[in-house]
Every structure is written in C-alpha cells, then in structure tokens.
Amino acid sequence: MARKILFEKLDIPGIQEYEVYRKNGGYASVEKALKTMTPDEVVEQVKTSGMRGRGGAGFPMGMKWSFIDKKSGKPRHLVVNADESEPGTFKDRFLMHHIPHLLIEGAIVSSYALEANLSYIYIRGEYMWIFKILEKAIKEAYANGWLGKNILGTGYDLDLYVHCGAGAYICGEETALIESLEGKRGNPRIKPPFPAVSGLWNEPTVVNNVESISTVSWIINNGGEEYAKIGIGRSTGTKLMSASGHIKNPGVYEIELGMSVDEFFNSDEYCGGMLDDRPLKAVIPGGCSVPILPPQYIFKTANGEDRLLSYESLSDGGFVTGSSLGSGGFIVYNDTACIVRNTWNFSRFFHHESCGQCSPCREGTGWMDKILHRIETGFGREEDIDLLWSIQSKIEGNTICPLGDAASWPVAAAIRHFREEFEYHVRFPEKIKDRNHFVNEP
Ligand code: L3W
Ligand code: SF4
C-alpha cells in the first residue's frame, strides 16, 4: 500500500466539513507553525523536504520561497494557482472538492512563512461549485480564528480571498494569473522579473499550485526530513496523478514518486490495465502540454531501464525518447485512437487559448491548427508534414510564456513517433474522408 499524504484523511466520512476536519487533526500545522516556529524556520522545513512545485515545472518550492525579499518593506503575497485547465489534469479540483480545508490550512502556514498578510486563491471560472466550497471553508476558518487579525493570539494577521477566473487557460500561467487578479486582461508578462521579486501589484509574490500548498501542512506536522524520505532521489514525496483514457480505472490517485509506470498502469489499485484489454498505442504522462510516448518508451527508457513516475525518469532521453511528469495528467490511448486527430485537437486548443501577444505563438498555433485540420479531414498534402515540423520548431523557445512550447511539443512528438499515421492520412485521403475517426484503417 503506497504512502498517503494528501489523501491520508480522504476516507474519513464528512472530512469536507470543518468540524470533522478539525477533530481529525486539521489546522494542527497552523498551531505548530505560528506558536513554535519562526517564518524562516517554516521555509527551512519546506526546503529540507525537497518538495517541488506540482503545477508542471517542478521548481523547488523552498527555493522559490527564499527568493522573496522580506527586507524590502513591500507587502508580500501568496497566490494559490487553482486555475487547473491542462487537458487531462483534474487532481486539484478533486482535492479542493473533497478536502478543502487542507488547502486553506496550507495557505495559512505558507502565507505565514512568507510573512504575507494578504493572500489569494485564484480558481478557474468553470470550477464555480468548488469556488462555493472554498468560500464556505474560508468563512469557517475566519469564524474559528484561523484567519483574520491576531491569529491564535500570535499577532499574525492574514486575509485570504478566493478569486474566480473567467475561463482562460492562459491565466494558469503565473504572470497572466497575476494580471488577471489585478483586474486586467490575462496576458503573460516577460520574466524576469519573476513574481517572487515583482508580482501582484509589483510586490513580492509566490505563486504555487493547489497540490503544492496542500502538502505544506504535512511537512510542518512531520518535518521536512520525513517528507524527503518518501519518493526517489530529487523527486521527493507523493504526487497526485489524474488517470484517463482507455484504462479500466480512470480517476485521481496519490502515488509515491518513483513508482514504476508498469505498476501504476497495470495494478488494479491504480489504472487497472487497458480497457477491454485492447492493445496500448500511446501514453501522455503529464497533461496535453508534454510529449506523447509510443509503446517502446512508456515502460522502459531508451537505455532499457524501468520508466518511473518521477521528474527525472519520465524526462530521461529528453523529448526524443522521453516526456515529462508535468502536472501528472496520465492519458492512455488504445489502438483505435487516431494520433492525427488527437494532435489536431490539442493544436486547436492551444490556438484558441493563445493570448496573441507573440507572433510565433499567435500565428504558429493557428497555422498548425489549420494544417492538422486539413490532414485529418483528408485534404492534406505530402509537404504538410514537413511544414508542420518546421512551424513547431520555430515556436519553441521563441515566445514570452511556455504556452508556445506547450503547443509545439505535442506536434513534434506526434510526428516523431507516429509519422506513418500522418503519411497514411495524406496518401489515402479517400479512406480518411469516409472513415469512422476512432477506428484505424488496416
Ligand atoms: C525566481 C528564478 N523564481 C523560476 C519560478 C517561476 C515559477 C516556477 C517555475 O510553467 C510549466 C509549463 C507548462 N527566480 C526563477 C523563479 N522561477 N526561475 O519557478 O517556472 P518555470 O518558468 O520553469 O515554469 P512555469 O512558467 O511555471 C509551468 C507545464 O508547466 N504544464 C502546465 C500545466 C498546467 C497546469 C494546470 O492547468 N493546472 O498545471 C504541464 O506540463 O507547459 O512548462 O513559479 O516564477 N530565477
Ligand atoms: Fe501569449 Fe502564446 Fe506568447 Fe504565451 S506564448 S504570451 S500565450 S502569445
């Protein structure tokens, strides 16, 4: 049985409610931190834990916190990124829905560590029902003295607000999120300066994902060293995985980092293997932004080692034979899936969500959408495949924010590993025009 941290109390009936949460040890980390630790000691524990940001980039959380300049005299802020919009990723909504006080508790301790007195949770507009759950939880936290003035008589003040986005994927990018929170259009800013230096209202700001902040209470209750013992190498702790697609048991799972992809995929406790026992065609291990893996690189790296669910192992071989843990959106495809259609679907998404500030992304995502559409519908030309390759290669690394990269990587990986499917589409257009899109031609 794998170690549970975030889901430790998930099975307790009524854990969504404040009284039940509190009776089962909830808010103990706030008492411990505020009464017995200095803010810098809290930061140290998070650093010791080796915890890495769970939004996709895996940046060391304690290091990010230590970039906050507490001597500038400027107010500091924690902003929790709850704008979960990555296709294939639905773990934050699960966490906030089922155990909302875990996030509030973590946000209080994290704000204390940053010496922030005004913090926010920015939630995606489509999660309106969770917005209401969080508002209720925050109200209960205020009513019970965990938020507001002079918390637990320690002299520490904190106001926490939940703010609803308006349905744009790009607002999950931290600087676009900040712009949106300031009431402006959610256009990403050029970095540096990073938010830790100049964030919300140009004040030092830490933006962390829901899962990251929800882990902080466990780290404070049990110590950073204990957390660092879980996991593998520099991938410490546990990770929430959103599993979807052609598997027997889709859902949200907490795994210990370092578990083999084979165990996660085949074990009945997790994915349970292929739905209807059909052949496996591909896996995207970290949400639609990361490269798709063909069968030969899903369970083994190019060196023949077991592929593990960790930051290092999943990216082993770079994006040629590897991928990325990303946000943990594990999407499985069987032999009936059309890779061209899937790639077009992703490109259409990125085209729609591009904010339009930089030309390579604004124009490139549009061109890729258009070309993939014509290939998919049987109007593709032989030269389109190389044209697609050329376009994606000119987007990557040439944009303000990672959306450009995220739009190019899935296209590059699909062509690299499944080129013959693209070629089939352009060579046999009459079959493509007539077919059922979800059944492969022989
Ligand atoms: C101060 C420095 N701070 C880096 C901070 C930076 C940020 C964090 C990571 O993109 C990825 C993206 C998506 N001084 C710093 C510093 N920081 N250097 O560290 O930064 P970065 O630039 O590596 O990544 P990012 O801009 O945060 C995130 C990928 O995640 N992704 C998307 C997932 C989407 C969701 C969702 O919908 N919930 O998770 C999936 O793979 O493509 O590459 O805080 O400020 N010198
Ligand atoms: Fe906007 Fe795309 Fe540029 Fe990001 S890469 S700033 S989404 S145009």
Side-chain angles (χ1 to χ4, degrees):
M1 194 69 173
R3 190 78 180 261
K4 297 282 180 268
I5 287 182
L6 292 157
F7 287 179
E8 196 179 22
K9 298 174 183 164
L10 194 67
D11 294 335
I12 299 173
I15 196 69
Q16 200 191 43
E17 301 303 325
Y18 172 76
E19 288 76 19
V20 180
Y21 183 76
R22 176 71 182 133
K23 250 188 229 150
N24 285 279
Y27 289 96
S29 69
V30 177
E31 284 188 303
K32 182 170 178 184
L34 269 61
K35 287 186 174 168
T36 70
M37 298 169 79
T38 64
D40 287 348
E41 283 169 351
V42 178
V43 175
E44 273 313 307
Q45 287 303 314
V46 173
K47 268 191 183 169
T48 305
S49 74
M51 173 73 187
R52 293 165 68 173
R54 300 299 197 230
F59 193 82
M61 196 166 157
M63 190 193 292
K64 194 194 276 191
W65 288 13
S66 63
F67 290 144
I68 288 276
D69 182 2
K70 294 181 176 173
K71 297 198 183 81
S72 69
K74 284 187 177 178
R76 294 160 292 274
H77 309 284
L78 169 76
V79 177
V80 179
N81 187 344
D83 193 52
E84 181 175 62
S85 316
E86 177 83 355
T89 307
F90 41 88
K91 41 104 187 170
D92 292 339
R93 96 175 164 200
F94 186 91
L95 206 53
M96 292 186 285
H97 182 140
H98 293 284
I99 185 160
H101 283 283
L102 190 63
L103 176 61
I104 312 294
E105 181 178 352
I108 297 168
V109 176
S110 307
S111 300
Y112 173 72
L114 302 171
E115 297 177 52
N117 303 111
L118 177 58
S119 295
Y120 293 89
I121 300 170
Y122 183 100
I123 190 163
R124 73 178 281 194
E126 294 88 341
Y127 284 179
M128 185 49 82
W129 84 98
I130 302 177
F131 173 80
K132 288 177 184 159
I133 290 172
L134 289 179
E135 282 235 299
K136 177 173 172 277
I138 288 175
K139 218 170 152 186
E140 288 165 338
Y142 269 104
N144 288 280
W146 304 108
L147 283 168
K149 296 260 176 259
N150 193 20
I151 300 170
L152 304 177
T154 59
Y156 176 59
D157 304 335
L158 176 65
D159 283 314
L160 178 66
Y161 296 97
V162 52
H163 181 93
C164 210
Y169 171 76
I170 193 58
C171 289
E173 194 285 329
E174 57 179 0
T175 59
L177 187 157
I178 288 169
E179 288 281 304
S180 171
L181 200 49
E182 289 179 357
K184 293 178 260 175
R185 185 188 155 99
N187 281 353
R189 297 174 181 171
I190 291 173
K191 295 192 278 190
F194 289 93
V197 174
S198 180
L200 189 60
W201 304 301
N202 298 324
E203 291 160 0
T205 303
V206 159
V207 183
N208 273 142
N209 173 263
V210 167
E211 183 184 343
S212 313
I213 294 298
S214 299
T215 306
V216 170
S217 297
W218 195 98
I219 294 173
I220 295 309
N221 287 333
N222 298 276
E225 253 178 61
E226 276 307 300
Y227 190 84
K229 286 180 193 162
I230 307 165
I232 187 166
R234 287 180 54 244
S235 296
T236 63
T238 65
K239 174 86 191 81
L240 296 186
M241 300 294 295
S242 319
S244 66
H246 299 131
I247 45 172
K248 290 201 176 85
N249 311 322
V252 181
Y253 299 100
E254 181 170 22
I255 55 109
E256 181 168 345
L257 284 167
M259 174 183 284
S260 70
V261 173
D262 184 49
E263 182 181 351
F264 181 64
F265 187 88
N266 285 309
S267 152
D268 289 339
E269 201 183 327
Y270 301 102
C271 300
M274 292 302 290
L275 183 68
D276 301 330
D277 299 320
R278 289 198 72 102
L280 169 63
K281 185 174 196 176
V283 164
I284 296 177
C288 87
S289 297
V290 308
I292 194 164
L293 289 170
Q296 67 270 31
Y297 300 131
I298 296 171
F299 302 109
K300 296 278 179 198
T301 66
N303 296 329
E305 287 166 13
D306 282 347
R307 181 82 77 186
L308 309 178
L309 293 173
S310 75
Y311 291 99
E312 291 72 25
S313 182
L314 277 172
S315 55
D316 189 285
F319 283 176
V320 178
T321 59
S323 182
S324 168
L325 180 61
S327 50
F330 195 88
I331 313 169
V332 178
Y333 299 88
N334 69 18
D335 62 330
T336 67
C338 172
I339 297 297
V340 175
R341 187 175 183 82
N342 184 69
T343 312
W344 170 46
N345 190 27
F346 287 176
S347 285
R348 200 169 39 153
F349 170 77
F350 286 118
H351 179 206
H352 183 257
E353 297 299 339
S354 167
C355 82
Q357 277 192 110
C358 8
S359 316
C361 173
R362 182 188 60 241
E363 303 303 327
T365 55
W367 294 341
M368 292 196 300
D369 176 4
K370 203 169 168 180
I371 295 167
L372 279 160
H373 182 207
R374 74 173 174 241
I375 296 177
E376 168 54 14
T377 49
F379 295 94
R381 303 170 307 197
E382 193 98 23
E383 62 270 27
D384 277 347
I385 304 169
D386 289 336
L387 183 59
L388 262 181
W389 183 268
S390 161
I391 293 168
Q392 69 75 25
S393 72
K394 290 182 176 63
I395 300 174
E396 185 190 1
N398 293 319
T399 57
I400 293 173
C401 91
L403 188 140
D405 298 339
S408 75
W409 292 332
V411 174
I415 297 176
R416 181 178 286 125
H417 299 306
F418 297 95
R419 191 178 175 103
E420 70 286 355
E421 270 196 44
F422 289 82
E423 287 170 352
Y424 183 90
H425 276 68
V426 294
R427 287 184 190 152
F428 304 102
E430 66 291 348
K431 291 193 178 183
I432 297 304
K433 282 175 192 159
D434 289 344
R435 74 180 182 156
N436 170 353
H437 279 119
F438 296 99
V439 177
N440 267 355
E441 292 292 322

